[in-house]
């Protein structure tokens, strides 16, 4: 049995006990509701971890990019939703290839793309499940709620090879709002737009099987809103400082194991920097050392201010990142452990891929 102290550092760690508790907490929130929890794979990017979750009954996955869906299909997972626009003939061919070995859903927000997707599906002899993406206020992709979404849903239904299944409405602009009342108020407003669009489609005799959205930050509100059928959080499993500040009920299972390689009074240096620890959402923290303050991430060094001075060269600390998804994307493998005993070393097949 390998233990963490036998491993070289830096090393990306996942504490499976903490991850299991996060999963259970999310499931408990909706135990009394007919709601699907579709896990966002852009946070994980790791087929071994996806298979682990499947073993716990979590078989539905969301992806940001086609390569993530392909990694999942390679891992034997077949209920896939790429919540993004798939544009251009080469990517549409890949999508249709994927549809031969998995049930794959995709978003659309453009009529010409819908027509090209229909042609690609017919040429490949597959049916692609399509959700119309609605912009519920984030201002990223998506058509406006109401009539524009109705128009596009009708267009999808006219294409042989495509099957309209429902509506996607992700509220990314609301995830990290710290004030619970403000978040709730704005979230209900965006949900009204999305579920109002569902009602409009149904009044026009278009069945809507799926209405999906939410992330870790808004899942508790969205998942209890009548008319929603699915939530799509990802970060709640691994977690990071930024999310933990607003969702303290989920703990950080992800960390980067580091070694102190240099010290001087009031300061020490760790053996990993911005090439192993994402800083796009802010500075990381040192697990169990509340008084320490990360000053700077260089490429391969992290400089930490440590007033208590009680640190020796060779000490090992776990670094808790400010952004779990971006940190997964920096590594090629992760070590899954329980209480410091290694259970698995999984490749992170989709890390560093953007296609
Ligand atoms: C389409 C979509 N759904 C859901 C999420 C939520 O993910 P998380 O739980 O990591 O906030 C994201 C995050 O970027 C997203 O882009």
């Amino acid at each position: 049995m390998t233990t963490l102290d036998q491993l070289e550092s830096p090393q990306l760690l996942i504490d499976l006990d903490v991850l299991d508790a996060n999963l259970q907490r999310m499931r408990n929130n909706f135990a009394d509701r007919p709601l699907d929890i579709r896990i966002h794979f852009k946070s994980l990017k790791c087929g071994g971890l996806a298979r682990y979750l499947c073993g716990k009954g979590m078989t539905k996955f969301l992806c940001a990019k086609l390569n993530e869906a392909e990694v999942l299909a390679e891992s034997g997972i077949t209920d896939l939703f790429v919540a993004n626009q798939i544009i251009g003939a080469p990517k549409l061919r890949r999508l249709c290839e994927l549809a031969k070995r998995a049930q794959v859903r995709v978003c659309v927000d453009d009529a010409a793309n819908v027509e090209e997707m229909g042609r690609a599906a017919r040429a490949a002899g597959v049916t692609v499940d399509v959700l119309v993406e609605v912009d519920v206020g984030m201002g990223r992709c998506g058509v406006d709620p109401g009539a524009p979404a109705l128009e596009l849903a009708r267009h999808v239904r006219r294409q042989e090879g495509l099957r309209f299944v429902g509506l996607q409405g992700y509220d990314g602009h609301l995830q990290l709002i710290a004030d619970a009342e403000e978040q709730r108020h704005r979230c209900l407003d965006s949900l009204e737009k999305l579920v109002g669009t569902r009602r409009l489609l149904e009044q026009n005799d278009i069945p809507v099987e799926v209405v999906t959205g939410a992330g870790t930050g808004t899942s508790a509100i969205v998942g209890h809103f009548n008319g929603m059928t699915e939530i799509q959080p990802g970060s709640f499993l691994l977690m990071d400082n930024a999310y933990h500040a607003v969702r303290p009920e989920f703990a950080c299972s992800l960390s980067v194991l580091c070694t102190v390689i240099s010290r001087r009074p009031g300061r020490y240096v760790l053996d990993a920097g911005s090439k192993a620890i994402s800083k796009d959402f802010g500075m990381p923290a040192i697990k169990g050392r509340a008084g320490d303050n990360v000053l700077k991430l260089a490429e391969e060094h992290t400089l930490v201010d440590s007033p208590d001075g009680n640190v020796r060269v060779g000490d090992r600390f776990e670094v808790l990142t400010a952004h779990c998804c971006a940190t997964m994307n920096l590594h090629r493998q992760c070590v899954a452990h329980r209480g410091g005993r290694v259970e698995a070393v999984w490749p992170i097949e989709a890390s560093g891929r953007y296609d």
Side-chain angles (χ1 to χ4, degrees):
M1 169 71 70
T2 307
T3 54
L4 295 184
D5 49 13
Q6 296 172 291
L7 300 178
E8 264 194 56
S9 75
Q11 198 76 247
L12 188 66
L13 306 181
I14 297 176
D15 184 326
L16 292 176
D17 287 331
V18 176
L19 181 135
D20 288 352
N22 287 342
L23 176 60
Q24 199 50 50
R25 189 157 288 121
M26 182 62 85
R27 289 173 119 168
N28 289 349
N29 284 344
F30 309 105
D32 59 342
R33 288 186 75 81
L35 182 80
D36 286 325
I37 301 173
R38 184 176 287 277
I39 291 177
H40 204 331
F41 188 64
K42 60 108 202 186
S43 307
L44 315 179
K45 288 186 164 273
C46 166
L49 182 49
R51 281 193 301 276
Y52 175 82
L53 293 164
C54 269
K56 296 189 166 289
M58 307 306 293
T59 55
K60 297 172 187 296
F61 286 85
L62 187 82
C63 303
K65 290 293 185 78
L66 265 178
N67 76 76
E68 295 169 357
E70 288 164 346
V71 165
L72 284 167
E74 285 298 311
S75 303
I77 294 165
T78 56
D79 190 340
L80 309 175
F81 173 21
V82 184
N84 210 344
Q85 322 300 312
I86 307 293
I87 303 299
K91 285 226 164 53
L92 288 169
R93 271 197 299 277
R94 269 171 70 194
L95 173 68
C96 293
E97 276 309 304
L98 191 62
K100 290 179 183 167
R101 53 194 177 123
Q103 191 215 332
V104 55
R105 296 175 177 166
V106 65
C107 283
V108 297
D109 73 357
D110 178 78
N113 175 231
V114 166
E115 288 156 29
E116 196 182 5
M117 191 180 291
R119 283 194 295 275
R122 290 193 293 280
V126 298
T127 301
V128 176
D129 287 350
V130 173
L131 284 85
V132 167
E133 181 160 4
V134 178
D135 180 6
V136 293
M138 186 187 184
R140 191 168 70 181
C141 299
V143 295
D144 284 343
L150 172 63
E151 195 45 51
L152 195 59
R154 284 183 167 137
H155 199 53
V156 172
R157 280 161 56 91
R158 284 193 286 267
Q159 314 297 319
E160 239 178 83
L162 304 186
R163 191 174 79 89
F164 173 78
V165 295
L167 300 171
Q168 155 80 3
Y170 174 56
D171 50 359
H173 57 308
L174 307 179
Q175 297 305 317
L176 289 171
I177 295 179
D179 182 307
E181 257 323 293
E182 184 195 345
Q183 187 185 48
R184 183 169 183 78
H185 177 75
R186 292 179 61 187
C187 191
L188 293 178
D189 192 49
S190 84
L191 284 165
E192 200 37 62
K193 290 180 187 153
L194 187 59
V195 174
T197 303
R198 173 189 188 149
R199 283 194 294 272
L200 178 69
L201 267 60
E202 287 170 344
Q203 282 155 12
N204 284 274
D205 297 322
I206 299 181
V208 181
E209 274 171 47
V210 177
V211 186
T212 180
T216 297
T218 57
S219 54
I221 307 166
V222 176
H224 285 100
F225 196 82
N226 286 337
M228 295 299 296
T229 68
E230 183 180 277
I231 54 169
Q232 44 184 245
S235 299
F236 73 102
L237 290 165
L238 300 175
M239 286 300 282
D240 50 46
N241 299 332
Y243 249 139
H244 185 69
V246 293
R247 283 287 164 269
E249 65 271 34
F250 298 111
C252 293
S253 66
L254 185 79
S255 66
V256 182
L257 178 66
C258 292
T259 300
V260 175
I261 56 166
S262 175
R263 65 169 294 277
R264 69 185 69 179
R267 174 84 53 92
Y268 61 88
V269 181
L270 297 171
D271 62 344
S274 61
K275 284 183 170 163
I277 304 162
S278 154
K279 58 179 180 180
D280 62 337
F281 279 9
M283 283 298 164
I286 312 300
K287 187 174 174 181
R289 297 185 61 86
D292 292 2
N293 183 28
V294 175
L295 297 174
K296 181 179 159 86
L297 294 186
E299 282 182 54
E300 300 289 3
H301 300 82
T302 292
L303 273 58
V304 187
D305 197 26
S306 180
D308 83 0
N310 186 20
V311 172
R312 283 168 309 179
V313 167
D315 281 353
R316 311 242 285 182
F317 297 137
E318 287 180 48
V319 174
L320 303 176
T321 77
H323 193 185
C324 59
C325 315
T327 300
M328 286 301 278
N329 192 45
L330 296 172
H331 291 256
R332 293 183 174 187
Q333 67 167 39
C334 55
V335 174
H337 72 99
R338 273 182 216 283
R341 291 172 182 225
V342 175
E343 288 214 348
V345 179
W346 289 316
I348 308 175
E349 300 92 330
S351 76
R353 288 188 62 184
Y354 311 103
D355 55 322

